Amino acid sequence: DIVMTQSPDSLAVSLGEGATINCKSSQSVLYSSDNKNYLAWYQQKPGQPPKLLIYWASTRESGVPDRFSGSGSGTDFTLTISSLQAEDVAVYYCQQYYTTPRTFGQGTKVEI
Amino acid sequence: QITLKESGPTLVKPTQTLTLTCTFSGFSLSTGGVGLGWIRQPPGKALEWLALIYWDDDKRYSPSLKNRLTLTKDASKNQVVLTMTNMDPVDTATYYCAHMDSDGQGSETGDGAFDMWGQGTMVTVSS
């Protein structure tokens, strides 16, 4: 199995400040034939299902605010929230869909 | 508009078999590139991927649970059923189904991220 490790486990950010979440995979999730990183980011607010924010490591899902951005390639990835809003308080998960099982990170809790 | 809804028992006894149904609308599981996955989340814990059925009826299961999981689809009812045998208290979790459209995401491999999720159904395993 590909192990996904996120850091930090939690972070507290002031409103309007930036937040950075890291995700490291135990093996590359870059598929050579299409040069795509099979890596997604999800946001989960309390009592709600996860919501897709980013796929292909850096492609923002339709309707997702542009303060959310994804970067990285191979085994190291980052989700950045450029200016934290109150509604961004949530747990964020990375997930690889390069191979089965499609493993998730342990989650990073973002608080204000 | 894509919607998904999970249904099934809220309480099962240890050793029993759990049967969960995902009823969906707004897409066809026969359309190329489309898939439906199951993911669970124990209370206060992380997400765990369980299984995925593709448009061509290919099925993938979590290796750690493979012997206990079965996916079936009923295209006429727009439903996918997940059965999990020999339930244990550690299987207590919220179970989600989720939609995948790999073609819509520009995938060349038939794999993509889960872009829509059901609200989930909480299942407690207890005697």
Side-chain angles (χ1 to χ4, degrees):
Chain A
D1 297 6
I2 296 179
V3 177
M4 308 299 290
T5 304
Q6 292 181 228
S7 62
D9 289 333
S10 66
L11 74 161
V13 181
S14 300
L15 288 174
E17 295 295 307
T20 299
I21 300 169
N22 300 301
C23 175
K24 188 174 183 67
S25 57
S26 61
Q27 65 187 75
S28 176
V29 298
L30 174 62
Y31 194 52
S32 57
S33 66
D34 61 8
N35 202 36
K36 283 181 164 65
N37 288 282
Y38 283 57
L39 188 286
W41 289 97
Y42 300 89
Q43 175 194 64
Q44 186 178 31
K45 297 180 179 180
Q48 296 185 19
K51 172 188 173 184
L52 177 64
L53 296 178
I54 303 279
Y55 58 97
W56 303 135
S58 61
T59 301
R60 201 178 300 116
E61 173 72 336
S62 176
V64 173
D66 60 8
R67 64 180 180 272
F68 292 93
S69 63
S71 63
S73 185
T75 61
D76 292 280
F77 301 91
T78 299
L79 175 70
T80 302
I81 309 173
S82 61
S83 175
L84 194 80
Q85 305 299 301
E87 61 265 32
D88 301 334
V89 168
V91 179
Y92 294 83
Y93 294 94
C94 61
Q95 184 214 15
Q96 64 80 18
Y97 47 101
Y98 180 85
T99 189
T100 299
R102 296 178 162 212
T103 41
F104 290 88
Q106 80 276 19
T108 295
K109 186 174 185 178
V110 174
E111 302 172 299
I112 294 175
Chain B
Q1 180 189 1
I2 290 174
T3 64
L4 306 101
K5 186 173 183 179
E6 307 85 353
S7 59
T10 58
L11 179 66
V12 297
K13 290 181 167 50
T15 76
Q16 286 187 336
T17 294
L18 172 68
T19 300
L20 294 175
T21 301
C22 179
T23 304
F24 57 87
S25 64
F27 68 94
S28 171
L29 201 41
S30 301
T31 300
V34 173
L36 191 144
W38 285 90
I39 303 98
R40 71 179 179 181
Q41 184 173 39
K45 295 188 177 181
L47 301 164
E48 178 186 12
W49 180 87
L50 300 177
L52 173 63
I53 184 167
Y54 293 84
W55 70 95
D56 58 1
D57 210 36
D58 187 18
K59 300 165 189 172
R60 303 297 168 88
Y61 298 100
S62 171
S64 63
L65 294 168
K66 183 174 183 176
N67 292 338
R68 300 174 54 204
L69 296 176
T70 304
L71 280 171
T72 57
K73 70 175 181 181
D74 186 332
S76 64
K77 293 182 179 179
N78 278 356
Q79 291 179 335
V80 170
V81 175
L82 176 75
T83 59
M84 181 180 292
T85 60
N86 195 26
M87 293 293 285
D88 184 272
V90 299
D91 297 314
T92 294
T94 296
Y95 287 75
Y96 297 99
C97 60
H99 168 266
M100 176 196 79
D101 179 5
S102 60
D103 283 3
Q105 293 173 14
S107 174
E108 297 179 12
T109 64
D111 283 305
F114 294 122
D115 58 357
M116 289 296 295
W117 295 60
Q119 285 298 309
T121 186
M122 177 66 193
V123 178
T124 300
V125 184
S126 175
S127 55

